[in-house]
């Protein structure tokens, strides 16, 4: 029977977090899966990140930048997790993982569909051993359907989901999202699904299988866009920074730099016209309603473009914010990191790592009065907690651990003076 008692590893601080006592076995790599388990780790879950002894997961090599030999990408996505290294190509390694599954609440993996079944760690096997287990698979196109076996990464799914067809310049040139939106959406839907499955388990005592697809996640996230298409029959095109159903709502050039405005109601339209010194635009027959402003978008945006070039962006922001008009400079990353709001919300905290030293990460967006999310421990060294985990969770003796190390099933626990160089090797590299 699975062990449902909290691990002694949990600290007093962890016990005050929302997911304290929840054990997660994390087979995931790259971004979608690690982002899912990062959010759970920030909220107190015990996340055991399982990696191959042969260099670890591929994102350990995703750099530069590196800090003390550690990829910044890996450091940011894997904080708060315990690093364990077991060779899944070794029969004894698979047996160890099956024993670990007995102790877990959640399993997350994002290998290609069929990989976990092929190595003997599929859902049917896991569920038979631990019926309470919530087993979450994240993939490019899902576990069934004609595209099931297609290799997928963020860029590919941005294209295949239709996202890139609506993202680009006003001249019609498509561009990739500035961040890995397909990966992150899938990670978020995975967390949502896991929390829902936990609620169901609270009622019934039963776990279940979760099939999260990047493709599905992107279509769902674009619900408003797809509804506009389904309702009108029109094929949406890229619009730059503009928005199809609200005008004015875009980025404009001031005399020195660009800034954005969003005039989302008729009340705001009137206040906006007053604020920019053009009250006559409010009742203009071409612009008196949002529908008219959409119809006459080009002439209105040309007029506003001329007006806004008369002042600096900061001057316009001050004027618009005083009037209550949503607006912002187009801030770059250094400006966001230095922003007082970022500091107040603790969105760029510092962490100390054994080899990377002092470095900054992105903070948790999960702000709750009793159990807020927060970064805890830094990203693990490869296999850093393997021995401790085997002793604590499985009761394996020191002698047996030594034998497993000698057989190449696990790595010895690492220290900063015994690094293992990462390389892009994995059981199944792509989603």
């Amino acid at each position: 029977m699975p062990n449902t008692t909290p691990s002694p590893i949990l600290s007093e601080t962890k016990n005050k977090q929302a997911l304290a006592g929840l054990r997660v076995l994390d087979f995931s790599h790259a971004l979608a899966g690690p982002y899912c388990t990062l959010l759970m780790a920030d909220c107190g879950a015990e996340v055991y990140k399982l990696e191959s002894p042969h260099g670890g997961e591929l994102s350990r090599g995703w750099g530069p930048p590196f800090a003390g030999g550690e990829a910044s990408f890996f450091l940011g996505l894997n904080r708060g997790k315990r690093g364990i290294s077991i060779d899944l190509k070794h029969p004894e390694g698979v047996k160890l993982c099956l024993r670990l599954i007995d102790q877990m609440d959640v399993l997350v993996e994002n290998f290609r569909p069929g990989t976990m079944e092929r190595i003997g760690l599929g859902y049917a096997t896991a569920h038979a051993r631990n019926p309470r287990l919530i087993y979450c698979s994240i993939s490019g196109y899902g576990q069934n359907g004609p595209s099931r076996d297609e290799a997928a990464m963020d860029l590919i799914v941005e294209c295949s989901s239709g996202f890139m067809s609506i993202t680009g310049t006003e001249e019609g040139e498509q561009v990739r999202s500035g961040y890995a939106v397909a990966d992150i959406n899938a990670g978020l839907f995975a967390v949502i699904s896991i929390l829902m499955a936990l609620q169901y388990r609270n009622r019934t005592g039963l776990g279940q299988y979760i099939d999260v697809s990047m493709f599905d996640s992107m279509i769902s996230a674009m619900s408003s866009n797809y509804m506009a298409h389904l309702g009108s029959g029109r094929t949406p095109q890229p619009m730059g920074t503009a928005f199809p159903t609200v005008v004015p709502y875009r980025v404009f050039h001031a005399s020195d730099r660009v800034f954005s405005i969003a005039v989302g109601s008729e009340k705001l339209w009137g206040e906006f016209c007053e604020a920019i010194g053009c009250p006559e635009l409010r009742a203009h027959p071409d612009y008196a309603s949002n529908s008219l402003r959409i119809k006459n978008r080009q002439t209105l945006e040309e007029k506003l473009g001329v007006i806004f070039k008369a002042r600096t962006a900061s001057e316009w922001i001050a004027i618009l914010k005083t009037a209550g008009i949503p607006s912002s400079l187009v801030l770059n990353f250094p400006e966001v990191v230095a922003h007082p709001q970022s500091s107040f919300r603790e969105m760029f905290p510092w962490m100390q790592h054994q080899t990377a030293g002092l470095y900054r990460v992105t903070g948790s967006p999960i702000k709750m009065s009793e159990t807020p999310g927060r970064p805890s421990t830094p990203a693990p060294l490869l296999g850093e907690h393997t021995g401790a985990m085997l002793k604590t969770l499985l009761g394996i003796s020191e002698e047996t651990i030594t034998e497993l190390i000698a057989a190449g099933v696990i790595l010895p626990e690492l220290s900063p003076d015994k690094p293992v160089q990462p390389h892009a090797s994995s059981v199944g590299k792509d989603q």
Side-chain angles (χ1 to χ4, degrees):
M1 291 293 292
N3 182 359
T4 57
T5 59
S7 165
I9 297 175
L10 286 171
S11 67
E12 182 180 348
T13 300
K14 283 279 189 180
N15 282 323
K16 294 178 180 176
Q17 292 187 272
L19 299 182
L22 190 76
R23 288 177 178 157
V24 180
L25 187 55
D26 181 10
F27 289 86
S28 69
H29 58 279
L31 181 50
Y35 186 67
C36 163
T37 54
L38 168 73
L39 294 176
M40 289 193 286
D42 277 355
C43 289
E46 259 184 271
V47 177
Y48 293 91
K49 182 174 181 62
L50 193 145
E51 301 178 73
S52 165
H54 308 295
E57 75 128 297
L58 70 170
S59 75
R60 284 186 179 272
W62 283 5
F66 292 95
E70 304 286 343
S72 294
F73 184 101
F74 183 87
L75 291 173
L77 268 295
N78 293 286
R79 64 172 186 248
K81 304 176 186 180
R82 295 171 174 83
I84 58 177
S85 186
I86 299 175
D87 191 347
L88 299 182
K89 296 181 179 179
H90 196 296
E92 291 301 315
V94 174
K95 290 179 182 178
L96 283 177
C97 287
L98 289 172
R99 292 180 62 186
L100 283 173
I101 284 171
D102 295 344
Q103 308 297 319
M104 295 294 150
D105 298 289
V106 179
L107 183 153
V108 178
E109 63 91 11
N110 64 343
F111 295 132
R112 288 208 192 168
T115 299
M116 291 290 276
E117 287 78 4
R118 188 174 68 248
I119 61 179
L121 297 172
Y123 173 68
T125 300
H127 178 73
R129 297 179 66 99
N130 182 359
R132 289 175 54 82
L133 182 72
I134 294 162
Y135 191 118
C136 179
S137 294
I138 305 171
S139 63
Y141 294 101
Q143 302 298 310
N144 50 27
S147 298
R148 171 187 185 268
D149 296 320
E150 293 183 21
M153 296 190 75
D154 178 85
L155 172 65
I156 306 308
V157 179
E158 284 192 34
C159 292
S160 64
S161 65
F163 174 80
M164 198 172 289
S165 75
I166 62 169
T167 305
T169 67
E170 291 176 86
E171 291 72 34
E173 181 181 359
Q174 281 82 28
V175 298
R176 174 188 167 273
S177 169
Y179 76 103
V181 62
D183 275 317
I184 295 302
N185 276 343
L188 289 170
F189 278 111
V191 173
I192 293 167
S193 300
I194 289 167
L195 296 179
M196 289 180 176
L198 284 168
Q199 179 64 13
Y200 177 78
R201 193 182 74 175
N202 288 341
R203 298 199 311 270
T204 67
L206 294 175
Q208 61 183 293
Y209 184 69
I210 298 170
D211 173 7
V212 173
S213 132
M214 295 164 67
F215 180 75
D216 298 350
S217 299
M218 287 298 290
I219 291 174
S220 178
M222 291 186 286
S223 288
S224 62
N225 305 83
Y226 269 105
M227 290 310 299
H229 162 66
L230 295 170
S232 69
R234 293 192 295 270
T235 301
Q237 300 295 321
M239 298 183 65
T241 64
F243 190 63
T245 56
V246 178
V247 176
Y249 188 110
R250 62 168 302 145
V251 163
F252 287 93
H253 286 267
S255 63
D256 57 343
R257 61 185 294 183
V258 292
F259 70 103
S260 61
I261 60 169
V263 182
S265 70
E266 298 306 332
K267 179 176 181 294
L268 280 177
W269 169 245
E271 293 167 350
F272 168 77
C273 294
E274 295 290 338
I276 65 172
C278 299
E280 71 281 1
L281 291 178
R282 180 173 192 169
H284 192 287
D286 289 342
Y287 314 129
S289 70
N290 187 62
S291 297
L292 289 169
R293 293 193 293 276
I294 290 173
K295 180 181 177 181
N296 299 292
R297 177 196 301 268
Q298 183 175 349
T299 59
L300 175 58
E301 290 179 348
E302 287 174 356
K303 289 178 186 291
L304 294 177
V306 172
I307 292 167
F308 287 138
K309 286 182 179 177
R311 296 176 183 264
T312 66
S314 294
E315 288 176 316
W316 281 119
I317 294 297
I319 291 168
L320 294 168
K321 285 189 175 180
T322 299
I325 309 300
S327 57
S328 176
L329 298 174
V330 179
L331 300 177
N332 59 33
F333 276 27
E335 289 173 320
V336 176
V337 171
H339 198 288
Q341 185 69 7
S342 300
S343 175
F344 190 87
R345 300 286 290 181
E346 300 179 331
M347 286 311 298
F348 296 100
W350 293 91
M351 301 196 81
Q352 182 73 42
H353 189 272
Q354 293 182 63
T355 57
L358 194 63
Y359 68 103
R360 295 183 90 169
V361 296
T362 54
S364 174
I366 300 170
K367 307 291 201 291
M368 297 189 286
S369 63
E370 302 301 320
T371 56
R374 62 170 66 89
S376 54
T377 57
L381 298 172
L382 179 58
E384 181 179 349
H385 306 100
T386 307
M389 177 274 302
L390 293 179
K391 294 174 192 175
T392 303
L393 293 186
L394 302 185
I396 293 178
S397 67
E398 191 70 48
E399 180 182 5
T400 302
I401 289 173
T402 302
E403 293 172 355
L404 290 169
I405 292 171
V409 179
I410 65 172
L411 278 180
E413 293 192 10
L414 297 181
S415 60
D417 59 340
K418 296 191 296 182
V420 172
Q421 293 300 315
H423 58 77
S425 66
S426 180
V427 173
K429 294 181 183 178
D430 299 313
Q431 277 92 353

